[in-house]
Every structure is written in structure tokens, then in C-alpha cells.
Amino acid sequence: MQKYAVALGIGVIGLTGRVQAAGTLKTVSSVEIPGGLGAIPLQTKAGEALDPAKLSADVKTLWRFGHFSDIRVESVEDGEKIRVIFRPQNDKLFRLRKIEVKPMTPGIDLQIKPGSEITVTEAHEIAAGVRKRLESWGYASARVDAKFSPASRGRADLQILVDQGRRVDIDTVKLTGNLGAPGEDARKALRWTNGTTILPPVPGIWKGWRLNSTYTDNRVQSDAANLQSFYYQRGYFEATVKPTSTNSAATRTGLQFEINAGPRYAIRSIGFRGKNGFRPIQPSFGAGFPAGDVCKALLAERRLAERAGVLDFTAQIELRDVPGAAAAGGADARKWVDLEVTSERGPAYRVGRIEFRGNRSFSDQTIRRAFLFDEGDPLDQELLRKSLARLNNTGLFEPLSETNVAVNTPPGSDRADIFLSLRERKMRSWNLSGPVGPMSIGGPLTFRIGTRLPPWGWRLIELSTFTVSMNFMLLPKSVALLLPAFPHSGFLAAAVIQRPLLPGQPFFSGFSVAPQLGWQGVALGYGFSKARSLAGRFFAGNQSAAPALPVTIVRAMDGEPDVPKGVLYCEAPKPRFQLARKAGGFATGLFFSLAAF
């Protein structure tokens, strides 16, 4: 379970904490914050002993409440007590005249406009985001920095300096060592390093078409953890996985996972302790580990906790040896264990404030309609994920995930404040699309150029949610004859007004009309747009899948603390008929593209 405490995506730059007291056991006489920030609740209080852990938490709290380049903590002797002074240093604010990426790097779009105001801290955050994106593309040694150049009074140019380094692809992946019963089937657990086969090879003719994965430490370590979890799910609770690089070259490297599966355990009994008490889970046939049943029970327990507003949920499986028990089979005898599956809940929270940051063209009310909960409701993370999915479906913002959400949980309170960081898409766009193959089969040839309207209006008529575009479409005459109001020449130039489907506005959004086609064309366009929106929602299914639940595997030793061995990942079941939904969505989109204007 992910723990929300500090605003996600915001780094502490230049943070220093200097406590100059002779000892940490002195009593605090007073706590001061110059600059009118005294109303912020802090853990360090007058009359209590000075605690470095509380000081650190207070620095993070102050960091969340404003744009600071530095936060210093000072102490002043006050007789036998000590005064604590927090001194936040305001971050310098610049109005941008020009933004450049040097050198120009394809795929890097900063989404910042000239005239925007930005702090030094935010500029470094942008540079860190660019570096992470380059690392995900395989540039493991990428370096990115942010530099301000004064332009005029109060204005500056921002340069994002990029040094990509070299990109390294994973050429081959090998599994070696004691692979246990799964053998090469363990390769199915590789998600980030095994590459993708586009077209299979033909023996003796060609080698096929395969896309290699890029090499990054995160990808390698993630697949090492996936492999270990794969073996845990099959009862190999002592499995170890060690990744190493082989045959490294300038742009390619081999990857090897050294696996020691160890013994496969036999399960005598499984006890599950949840919110509703204790219940047994039956082992699989042949005393196997029923990973599916255990994960299903834990995911259901987590869902109950989420509905109650619990943010912190942890789970573990404890192994206890069965003395003197062994399966028949001589040298192949397995170790027998009893398992105890437990979970732990943190405090439950209700929603305090919901604030949005970065929405300059769209009102808070439009965004708030996408949320499936309100202030005072339990903070259900499943509803939060669904709310983000609803916002993503509008297409008004850059893709959102839980990393865009910061949840502030003040100490001693059962309220949690939610802060959502948004980045609006560009107002202007263009698109050129065509069929793969003949137009009679693959669809029309289309060129589109459009722009969003200015941020005028409010409530139902919020012009910034409308897009006006010019569409130039070429269809084969045989298809054009079947469409009402379509010129028989097969060529159409049409001005189109569009509005994406907005939550809470089912009849006033989700349409696309061409006014010059008359009321029949407007009615037909509106009807096709609504039908396409409804069909798209049906075939899209659940777009807010819950993250995997990490379950710690521990070994109970008599008279000794439990020893953690590794992590098993329980994943939510895939949506039913997922492949059929994707095929239906593709076919439906192709059908409506032939009738769209």
C-alpha cells in the first residue's frame, strides 16, 4: 500500500536542518516561525522535550505549505530550556520570457508557456522529470540541469540542459542456475527486460522482428523482484535471484538472472487473520501453496480497508516449521510449514479539503465533477483512482496518476487534505491520419487543425472545454454515397465544434457537430458522437486497476525475531473478456471513424 505523507513529485532542494543545542533532551521553551506562518500545526511544541524526529517531520510540513528554497532550524539557549526557530527561505520567482531545451531532444515537451511564473525549485523539478523520462528510455547516465538567464527586469529565460549519454538496449536475457520445477516458464514473469516480439521468426528465412527493452537499473531490479515473487507463488520460499550484465557493448548488453529456487515447501495449514477474525484457507492439491486464494483474501481485506478510508495497509505471510514432519519421497522430501497470513491497518481518514493546482483554463467545478467523493467522505483510494481515470478520459490534461496526488494528513487529525497537480494540454493541435491499405477498407484520409476556445463562460457553458477545428477528409466515392449530406466527390472541408465527454454533463458534452451541414447534419453528428462515447466507455472497461499488493514473507524462528525473506506481489485479477473488449473497441472506433465529420 502506498503511503501518502509528502507531496508526491516535489523534492526538497537545499534542505538543511541545524539544531545547535548541546543535547536533544532539553525542554522546548517556545517555537517560532518568522514571516506569519505561526498557524501551521507542528509536532514540536513548547513544554516538551526536543525530538529530532519531530523536527524532521515539521520541516516536511513547512515544505508542503509554501514554495521555499531552504528551511533552516535554529536553536537558542533559554536558561535551562531551548527556543526553536524555523526560518523558511522564500523561493525566488521568475516570469519566463523564453524556454529552451538544449540540445533539442525529441519527445521532451515541457508544457510551459512564456509568461508563466516559476520558482527555482519548480525548475529543478522539471529537470528531474526530464531526467526520469530519459532514464525510462534507456539513457541510464542522462544528466539534466535547469539554468536561468536574466532577460529583463523580473523576467528570465529558462534553459533545460540535457546530456543524454548513451542508450543501452538489452540484447539477450538468460535464466541460469537451479530453476526448479518452473524451469524456463519463469521467463513469463519478466515484464520489463524480455523485449517484445512483433513478428515471429521463420526458420531459415528471416530472424523475425523483435523490439529490445532498454537497460535501466529500475527495470532490472523490478524483474528480479518479479522473478522472486513468481517462485514464492509456487511455494519456493527460499528462492533467490541475482541479476548481472554480460557481454556489454557500447549500445547493447546481455542480461543474466542467476536463480536458486531452493526447496519447494509443503503446506500443512494456513491461517488467515482479517478484520472479521480468523479463518482457515485450504492448501492446494498435494500440499501446495494456494497463492490465488491467499491473494484473493488479502486483496478483499485491502478493499475493505480502502472503503473505510485507510491509507496504510500492510500484509505478511509468516512461515513456521513443522517439527519432525516430512513428505515421503526419500531425497525429494519437502519441508513442511504452517502459514499465518496477517494484515495491519493504519488510521482511517476522511476527506478534508480538495484543491487543484495548475488549472488555468478550466474551473474547479468542472474538475470536481469528476470526483466520486466529496469533503467529509471516507478517503477511498479506489474511488480516487476512478476519479483520475474520469479526468484522463476528458483529454483536457496530461495523463494523471497517483503520483500527481499529494495527501496531507496532519498529526492527530482524522482528516486528509487532497492536492491534485494538473498540467493542461496545449490549446492548439493538428493531426494527419490515413488508412493502412485501401481507403475503402482502412478508413478516410483526414487532416485536422484545431484550437480550444478562450477560458470564458462558466458552469455548463465553459468555452475552454470546446474545440473548434477545420477538418479535411477524403473518402472513396463508393463510401461517400452511403453517408447523408456527404458530397458525392468524396472530399469534405468542414468546421467542427467538439466537446469531450465531461463527468456530470452527459447531455451537454461528448459531441462533435459540423454546423455547415444543416440541422440534419448537426443532429446526425450529435447522435453519432454520443453513440461513440457510450460504446467507448463500454469497451474501455475498468481503467483504474488497483496496484499490486506487496506481501512480506517472513520466517519465524524460535526465540528470535521474525526474519524477512522477500516480497510476494498479489495482483488484482484482470478484467473479464479483456481481449474481446479491445477487439470490440477497435472495431467500433473504425466504424465510427467512417461516419464522423
Side-chain angles (χ1 to χ4, degrees):
M1 180 60 123
Q2 186 178 7
K3 181 178 181 181
Y4 300 95
V6 182
L8 300 175
I10 299 181
V12 180
I13 299 173
L15 175 63
T16 60
R18 300 187 299 180
V19 182
Q20 301 169 358
T24 59
L25 297 179
K26 286 195 173 184
T27 302
V28 177
S29 62
S30 64
V31 179
E32 303 173 17
I33 312 178
L37 297 176
I40 297 177
L42 300 178
Q43 295 185 32
T44 303
K45 300 182 184 299
E48 298 181 358
L50 183 62
D51 186 345
K54 291 183 178 180
L55 282 176
S56 178
D58 290 338
V59 167
K60 293 179 181 179
T61 298
L62 285 170
W63 190 265
R64 288 194 296 266
F65 272 81
H67 292 291
F68 303 121
S69 60
D70 193 9
I71 300 176
R72 301 178 183 273
V73 185
E74 299 177 0
S75 61
V76 179
E77 297 288 343
D78 187 9
E80 295 183 354
K81 297 184 179 181
I82 189 171
R83 291 169 53 208
V84 177
I85 306 173
F86 293 90
R87 297 190 182 276
Q89 307 295 317
N90 289 327
D91 207 349
K92 193 170 183 180
L93 187 68
F94 293 93
R95 183 178 293 275
L96 296 180
R97 187 190 70 169
K98 185 171 60 175
I99 307 100
E100 293 181 288
V101 178
K102 289 190 173 182
M104 290 294 296
T105 307
I108 299 299
D109 187 0
L110 301 182
Q111 298 290 324
I112 305 175
K113 301 177 183 178
S116 301
E117 292 185 340
I118 188 173
T119 64
V120 175
T121 300
E122 290 172 335
H124 284 287
E125 291 167 11
I126 292 171
V130 173
R131 186 185 69 251
K132 289 181 180 179
R133 180 172 296 186
L134 291 172
E135 289 175 351
S136 69
W137 293 345
Y139 298 96
S141 58
R143 298 177 59 187
V144 183
D145 196 12
K147 178 182 177 182
F148 281 101
S149 300
S152 60
R153 187 173 182 179
R155 298 173 69 89
D157 296 336
L158 173 62
Q159 294 180 344
I160 302 297
L161 308 177
V162 177
D163 180 7
Q164 291 185 351
R166 62 186 179 94
R167 172 190 169 109
V168 180
D169 290 336
I170 300 174
D171 193 11
T172 58
V173 180
K174 296 181 180 180
L175 305 183
T176 61
N178 172 23
L179 304 184
E184 283 293 328
D185 285 345
R187 188 177 291 271
K188 298 177 182 177
L190 301 177
R191 299 183 179 180
W192 302 101
T193 59
N194 202 30
T196 304
T197 299
I198 305 299
L199 293 175
V202 179
I205 300 178
W206 79 315
K207 298 181 180 179
W209 183 13
R210 182 176 179 80
L211 297 180
N212 292 328
S213 298
T214 54
Y215 182 94
T216 67
D217 289 337
N218 287 340
R219 285 174 175 264
V220 173
Q221 295 303 323
S222 293
D223 266 353
N226 288 335
L227 277 171
Q228 191 172 48
S229 176
F230 176 87
Y231 278 93
Y232 286 164
Q233 291 174 6
R234 285 150 183 82
Y236 293 89
F237 295 120
E238 294 185 9
T240 58
V241 180
K242 181 180 179 182
T244 56
S245 299
T246 61
N247 303 323
S248 296
T251 59
R252 292 181 179 273
T253 185
L255 184 62
Q256 176 178 296
F257 290 98
E258 180 71 25
I259 298 174
N260 181 14
R264 188 174 189 177
Y265 281 73
I267 313 301
R268 186 180 70 170
S269 66
I270 304 174
F272 181 86
R273 296 186 182 277
K275 179 67 174 178
N276 298 323
F278 176 88
R279 66 182 177 90
I281 297 178
Q282 291 298 321
S284 300
F285 176 77
F289 175 53
D293 293 340
V294 171
C295 284
K296 182 179 180 180
L298 284 173
L299 290 171
E301 193 72 16
R302 181 178 69 173
R303 186 68 195 103
L304 289 175
E306 287 181 338
R307 289 195 180 100
V310 173
L311 297 181
D312 300 327
F313 181 89
T314 58
Q316 75 170 25
I317 299 176
E318 186 180 82
L319 282 65
R320 295 185 178 276
D321 291 329
V322 178
D332 295 330
R334 290 185 289 167
K335 295 183 177 180
W336 284 79
V337 290
D338 293 328
L339 304 183
E340 184 173 351
V341 184
T342 59
S343 61
E344 184 177 347
R345 295 184 175 195
Y349 292 95
R350 291 189 172 274
V351 180
R353 302 194 318 274
I354 303 177
E355 295 186 9
F356 309 111
R357 298 170 177 173
N359 55 312
R360 298 177 177 84
S361 302
F362 308 105
S363 66
D364 285 2
Q365 186 180 24
T366 294
I367 304 171
R368 189 176 290 271
R369 286 194 186 102
F371 276 71
L372 298 173
F373 53 76
D374 207 342
E375 283 89 347
D377 295 340
L379 180 48
D380 188 336
Q381 293 186 80
E382 175 67 16
L383 295 183
L384 176 59
R385 289 188 289 266
K386 289 183 177 180
S387 301
L388 295 179
R390 282 156 62 95
L391 272 177
N392 284 332
N393 288 337
T394 65
L396 301 177
F397 305 97
E398 293 298 319
L400 298 167
S401 66
E402 291 180 76
T403 58
N404 297 93
V405 179
V407 179
N408 184 27
T409 55
S413 173
D414 65 344
R415 298 280 171 160
D417 299 326
I418 298 177
F419 303 92
L420 177 60
S421 298
L422 303 161
R423 179 165 291 180
E424 297 176 355
R425 291 186 182 273
K426 290 183 176 180
M427 289 188 63
R428 300 173 182 85
S429 63
W430 65 272
N431 179 59
L432 176 64
S433 62
V436 179
M439 286 192 294
S440 58
I441 299 176
L445 176 64
T446 305
F447 175 73
R448 174 186 176 277
I449 182 170
T451 180
R452 287 204 318 268
L453 295 179
W456 300 337
W458 60 294
R459 293 187 178 179
L460 294 179
I461 308 300
E462 187 173 0
L463 291 184
S464 59
T465 61
F466 288 81
T467 299
V468 176
S469 63
M470 282 299 301
N471 292 257
F472 303 92
M473 184 180 297
L474 181 62
L475 273 176
K477 293 183 179 181
S478 59
V479 177
L481 292 173
L482 301 177
L483 299 177
F486 205 99
H488 291 176
S489 64
F491 176 79
L492 175 68
V496 179
I497 300 175
Q498 295 174 298
R499 196 186 196 198
L501 184 63
L502 302 177
Q505 303 183 46
F507 298 106
F508 296 97
S509 65
F511 59 81
S512 175
V513 297
Q516 71 272 24
L517 297 181
W519 69 267
Q520 298 97 333
V522 170
L524 186 63
Y526 181 85
F528 269 105
S529 299
K530 299 304 294 183
R532 184 174 188 173
S533 297
L534 293 174
R537 292 171 61 187
F538 173 77
F539 287 112
N542 183 14
Q543 300 180 7
S544 58
L549 172 63
V551 183
T552 305
I553 306 293
V554 299
R555 184 70 174 271
M557 307 294 290
D558 292 339
E560 299 181 9
D562 292 346
V563 180
K565 300 183 68 63
V567 176
L568 180 150
Y569 292 96
C570 288
E571 296 186 352
K574 295 181 179 179
R576 299 180 62 185
F577 311 114
Q578 185 177 21
L579 183 60
R581 283 179 179 271
K582 288 184 178 180
F586 174 79
T588 303
L590 181 60
F591 169 77
F592 280 109
S593 68
L594 296 174
F597 296 101

